[in-house]
Amino acid sequence: MASRKLLFGLTAARRVLSRAPVLLETSTSSCHAAAAAAATKLSGGSPCALRLFSYKAFSATRPAQHAGGDAPVPSAVDHKLIMPEDKFHKLADDTIHDLLEKLEEYGDSQQMDGFDIDYGNQVLTLRLGDLGTYVVNKQTPNRQIWLSSPVSGPARFDWDAASSSWVYRRTGVNLMRLLEEEIGELCGTPVHLS
């Protein structure tokens, strides 16, 4: 049924195009209105004819050009530059497990109500009672570590091979340094994670 509708639509569009060649020479934004008017006229005023013509099937307008010339094209992904998944898992797991150990030690030294650290399903959760909750987890498809912070909000950290650390590209902040600053400030005692 759908193929019949498509065939009917293409046949009708060809008929209209052959009867109205002037419409294809139009490159203004009024092209759509002119095409709809021509379709209505040629179909004897039938509203069905208007539904047959979509922008993609009947438009003669060109894509918007940018000042640089051609319209932007999505860049191709260079798969050689993407970190292999096994390397990502090793780096991310090592980082999260290291955080877990150091934060457990820090929690043991703190006399704070509500301090709790949990690791399950590859998600590290640090609860600081009324001060808020931190969540750290891996995002394998993006090769990132994501952080949800009660102080700075969400952030996505990429591995920076030059500094051998996880870095938030928007601000250039290092994951460990950010956590050290925020947790130390919230708890009132410095924490050393790096």
Side-chain angles (χ1 to χ4, degrees), residues 94-167:
D94 288 350
T95 301
I96 292 173
H97 289 292
D98 192 40
L99 266 174
L100 176 64
E101 288 177 17
K102 290 179 179 177
L103 288 171
E104 282 178 338
E105 290 174 14
Y106 181 73
D108 291 342
S109 69
Q110 290 293 315
Q111 300 304 321
M112 172 189 237
D113 289 336
F115 188 98
D116 182 43
I117 189 158
D118 181 47
Y119 181 73
N121 296 325
Q122 299 182 347
V123 177
L124 176 69
T125 306
L126 172 64
R127 290 177 192 83
L128 300 175
D130 294 337
L131 300 176
T133 301
Y134 285 87
V135 179
V136 180
N137 65 310
K138 299 188 309 186
Q139 290 295 319
T140 303
N142 303 14
R143 307 297 196 265
Q144 294 176 327
I145 289 181
W146 287 10
L147 169 70
S148 174
S149 162
V151 177
S152 58
R156 300 172 180 185
F157 293 84
D158 295 290
W159 179 253
D160 181 41
S163 64
S164 295
S165 63
W166 295 93
V167 176

